[in-house]
């Protein structure tokens, strides 16, 4: 890191003790790495709040036997082709499928598509993981 700035942080001893335990539990090498991650987490959250272009991953666990479900999932994604950047389908076992759909766009569009997908009948569990394009995270 050629362009690294150093700064000091003052905080309550009790808070620092708890933070150090968190650093240990999460397996960070040092406080600095943990603090950088916390800052990036907040910046990603802000990208979502401010409506910047973001990336999300929708995971869907669904019943392989549910009639028309695969077609409905495919149809929903075809309706927003500019949002969906990649899809992976895994046949977990005889009955269950897992689909991971990477989406890039405005937060509202990503959330709407995720809600539509998760809401399809036969989806047993669905979740949207919110992340970033990474272009503004150093
Ligand atoms: Ni499958």
């Amino acid at each position: 890191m050629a362009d690294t700035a150093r700064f000091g942080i003052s905080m309550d001893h009790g808070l620092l003790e708890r933070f150090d335990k968190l650093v240990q539990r999460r397996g960070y090498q040092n406080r600095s790495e943990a603090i950088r991650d916390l800052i990036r987490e907040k910046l990603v959250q802000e990208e979502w709040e401010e409506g910047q272009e973001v990336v999300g991953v929708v995971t869907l666990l669904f019943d392989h036997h549910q009639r028309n479900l695969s077609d409905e999932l495919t149809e929903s994604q075809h309706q927003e082709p500019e949002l969906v950047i990649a899809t992976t389908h895994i046949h977990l076992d005889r009955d269950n499928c897992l689909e991971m759909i990477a989406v890039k766009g405005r937060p509202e569009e990503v959330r709407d598509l995720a809600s539509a997908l998760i809401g399809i009948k036969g989806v047993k569990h669905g979740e949207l993981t919110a992340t970033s394009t990474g272009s503004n995270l150093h």
Side-chain angles (χ1 to χ4, degrees):
M1 284 187 283
D3 194 24
T4 302
R6 297 177 64 89
F7 64 98
I9 300 173
S10 309
M11 72 172 77
D12 179 271
H13 281 288
L15 187 60
L16 183 58
E17 256 172 53
R18 288 197 64 189
F19 181 63
D20 282 343
K21 282 179 187 157
L22 180 145
V23 169
Q24 217 171 19
R25 276 200 308 276
R26 302 275 173 95
Y28 284 110
Q29 297 294 312
N30 50 53
R31 289 173 181 160
S32 291
E33 191 49 48
I35 289 168
R36 282 193 288 271
D37 263 10
L38 287 174
I39 292 172
R40 288 191 202 100
E41 197 178 303
K42 278 289 159 198
L43 290 173
V44 171
Q45 201 179 316
E46 206 174 60
E47 287 178 7
W48 280 77
E49 286 164 8
E50 289 178 351
Q52 298 174 31
E53 185 176 61
V54 293
V55 171
V57 180
V58 186
T59 55
L60 301 169
L61 173 69
F62 61 93
D63 185 349
H64 165 67
H65 304 289
Q66 182 82 29
R67 290 193 72 194
N68 299 327
L69 180 63
S70 283
D71 288 345
E72 271 189 65
L73 285 173
T74 306
E75 185 56 36
S76 294
Q77 294 172 60
H78 272 283
Q79 282 170 18
E80 305 282 0
E82 68 284 357
L83 286 180
V84 177
I85 51 180
T87 302
T88 302
H89 183 106
I90 298 160
H91 312 298
L92 286 177
D93 56 30
R94 283 172 174 274
D95 306 314
N96 295 289
C97 297
L98 178 69
E99 199 151 310
M100 293 168 291
I101 303 151
V103 186
K104 184 164 85 171
R106 301 275 157 210
E108 277 176 35
E109 302 171 312
V110 174
R111 280 201 194 93
D112 285 352
L113 179 60
S115 299
L117 292 167
I118 293 167
I120 293 173
K121 192 182 172 209
V123 174
K124 293 179 177 179
H125 181 247
E127 202 163 71
L128 170 62
T129 302
T131 186
S132 165
T133 62
S135 45
N136 294 315
L137 293 179
H138 303 279

